[in-house]
């Protein structure tokens, strides 16, 4: 597994979009760790959010893509892990900003909210945009150390 490998997972609400994106990313040369779901059965989105989060926590991969019907539940699940900064994104500006400002390591989409063409653009942006660091580093550090 290389650091260029991208983990991806979804629930039944986004199987068509995940299938599209796996093909798209493989055609672009990325290694993909597909953690399911791979059939139409109804499943629980936390199980699949946790699979990608765990792969990042263990260092198997550095980046992930998650999808459920809305993108909301699976992004909440991934963000339960201190190591994860998962952004639910609906447009290319969000995909850019969450890399530049939040150093997001996971991007989430709603399979019932976004189409494949826009998803491709968002993922391309997410995978190629660098974290700006500077003042944003201090803020990102605080995400790992919550205090009141
Ligand atoms: C499943 O029907 C749906 O609840 C799930 O995909 C997601 O939208 C939850 O946030």
């Amino acid at each position: 597994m290389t650091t260029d490998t991208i983990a991806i997972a979804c629930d039944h609400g986004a199987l068509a979009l995940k299938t599209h994106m796996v093909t798209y990313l493989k055609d672009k040369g990325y290694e993909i760790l597909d953690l399911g779901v791979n059939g139409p059965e109804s499943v629980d989105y936390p199980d699949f959010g946790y699979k990608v989060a765990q792969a990042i926590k263990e260092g198997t991969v550095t980046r992930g893509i998650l999808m459920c019907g809305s993108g909301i539940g699976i992004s909440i699940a991934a963000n339960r892990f201190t190591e994860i900064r998962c952004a639910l994104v609906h447009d290319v500006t969000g995909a850019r900003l969450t890399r530049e400002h939040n150093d997001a390591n996971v991007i989430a989409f709603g399979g019932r909210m976004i189409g494949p063409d826009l998803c491709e653009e968002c993922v391309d942006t997410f995978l190629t945009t660098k974290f700006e660091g500077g003042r944003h580093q201090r803020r990102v550090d605080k995400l790992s150390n919550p205090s009141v």
Side-chain angles (χ1 to χ4, degrees):
M1 207 77 67
T2 72
T3 52
D4 284 324
T5 301
I6 299 160
I8 190 166
C10 70
D11 77 355
H12 53 283
L15 179 57
L17 185 60
K18 178 175 75 72
T19 302
H20 174 89
M21 291 306 296
V22 167
T23 301
Y24 175 75
L25 289 167
K26 282 183 175 174
D27 286 351
K28 291 197 85 167
Y30 289 101
E31 293 287 327
I32 300 297
L33 176 63
D34 186 346
L35 295 171
V37 69
N38 285 310
E41 67 274 19
S42 180
V43 294
D44 299 335
Y45 58 81
D47 297 338
F48 293 87
Y50 295 161
K51 282 176 193 278
V52 166
Q54 189 68 26
I56 291 175
K57 181 176 178 174
E58 289 171 351
T60 309
V61 298
T62 57
R63 294 174 294 186
I65 301 171
L66 288 171
M67 304 168 180
C68 65
S70 64
I72 296 170
I74 208 158
S75 59
I76 292 172
N79 279 316
R80 306 286 292 175
F81 286 61
T82 309
E83 296 82 1
I84 302 303
R85 291 176 302 281
C86 175
L88 172 56
V89 161
H90 301 284
D91 56 39
V92 174
T93 302
R96 176 176 59 80
L97 286 173
T98 201
R99 287 292 311 132
E100 289 177 347
H101 291 191
N102 314 122
D103 198 18
N105 50 9
V106 181
I107 193 166
F109 300 99
R112 298 171 184 147
M113 314 286 276
I114 191 171
D117 291 351
L118 180 52
C119 191
E120 288 176 7
E121 279 191 72
C122 289
V123 168
D124 287 346
T125 300
F126 174 75
L127 294 176
T128 56
T129 303
K130 293 197 180 334
F131 178 47
E132 280 184 2
R135 69 187 186 283
H136 301 297
Q137 184 65 63
R138 182 181 69 247
R139 296 162 184 168
V140 167
D141 289 344
K142 288 186 178 184
L143 293 174
S144 303
N145 293 291
S147 63
V148 290

